Amino acid sequence: LAELSVADLDLAALENGFFSLRHAPDTRLTPAELQLSWRTSRRKVFRGSEGALRPVTDRVVHFVSPHPVARGSAVSLDGEPVGRVHACAFSHLLGANVGLLHVREPVAHPGLFLRAETGGSQATLATCSVPWLQNRSLYVNPRESRYVARDERAAPAIVPEPLRELVRALASEDAS
């Protein structure tokens, strides 16, 4: 066991799609805009509940990129601005940068290839569903799995091969 830093915990949150207030783009966003509407109830009155009911125009989505992208960088789709980067960190397991975008609602879904302006150059990034990593503990069955036989059970790769291929494709696109 080892003590983890806050940066390590933030990276784990990004890699697994967990909400972290340090990644939140703006404190004025509603749970729906942060993709957290499942945490609220329309039947209960709570502080900020009236704001949670307003129509959403923007959403937060996850992205992967072979290059680092600075927080606040503008993101575009086919040359049209669609949002901003709000968090980006390098995932050592994935071998790429992962992060959060705050984009307009019509483009807030996985499978899009966007361009980000960062430090005078452009980087390609792709919106993705999370989690990126396959947590091996999800493949343990307490009724069947035994520690002494752990090497006998085949576990899937931590990083799915289609995701590795996507990162390679993004890197080759930026190189050309």
Side-chain angles (χ1 to χ4, degrees):
L1 297 175
E3 188 173 327
L4 296 176
S5 68
V6 172
D8 293 332
L9 294 173
D10 286 345
L11 176 59
L14 276 177
E15 289 174 333
N16 290 287
F18 293 125
F19 177 75
S20 171
L21 194 54
R22 289 179 292 280
H23 297 149
D26 191 337
T27 57
R28 295 170 292 178
L29 296 178
T30 67
E33 291 168 322
L34 292 170
Q35 304 284 20
L36 296 172
S37 56
W38 60 273
R39 290 187 174 187
T40 62
S41 171
R42 293 187 178 269
R43 292 174 288 169
K44 295 181 181 177
V45 176
F46 54 92
R47 184 175 173 190
S49 61
E50 66 282 348
L53 298 175
R54 75 174 194 242
V56 283
T57 57
D58 298 328
R59 292 210 184 254
V60 173
V61 296
H62 291 84
F63 76 88
V64 63
S65 175
H67 305 289
V69 184
R71 185 178 181 123
S73 296
V75 178
S76 62
L77 176 65
D78 298 329
E80 181 183 339
V82 292
R84 298 215 166 273
V85 174
H86 285 287
C88 183
F90 184 75
S91 169
H92 297 282
L93 285 172
L94 184 56
N97 292 278
V98 296
L100 290 173
L101 299 173
H102 184 220
V103 295
R104 293 194 323 244
E105 202 271 333
V107 296
H109 54 82
L112 291 179
F113 295 94
L114 306 172
R115 302 289 286 174
E117 293 287 334
T118 180
S121 64
Q122 288 196 347
T124 304
L125 48 93
T127 58
C128 298
S129 297
V130 289
W132 288 292
L133 308 177
Q134 295 190 48
N135 186 339
R136 296 226 169 127
S137 67
L138 297 176
Y139 297 93
V140 174
N141 182 343
R143 295 175 191 240
E144 297 174 6
S145 303
R146 296 177 310 142
Y147 180 77
V148 296
R150 67 188 179 278
D151 295 331
E152 297 171 12
R153 185 176 286 261
I158 291 176
V159 178
E161 190 55 35
L163 186 55
R164 286 193 188 278
E165 291 173 13
L166 174 63
V167 170
R168 284 193 289 268
L170 290 170
S172 65
E173 183 176 316
D174 282 345
S176 59

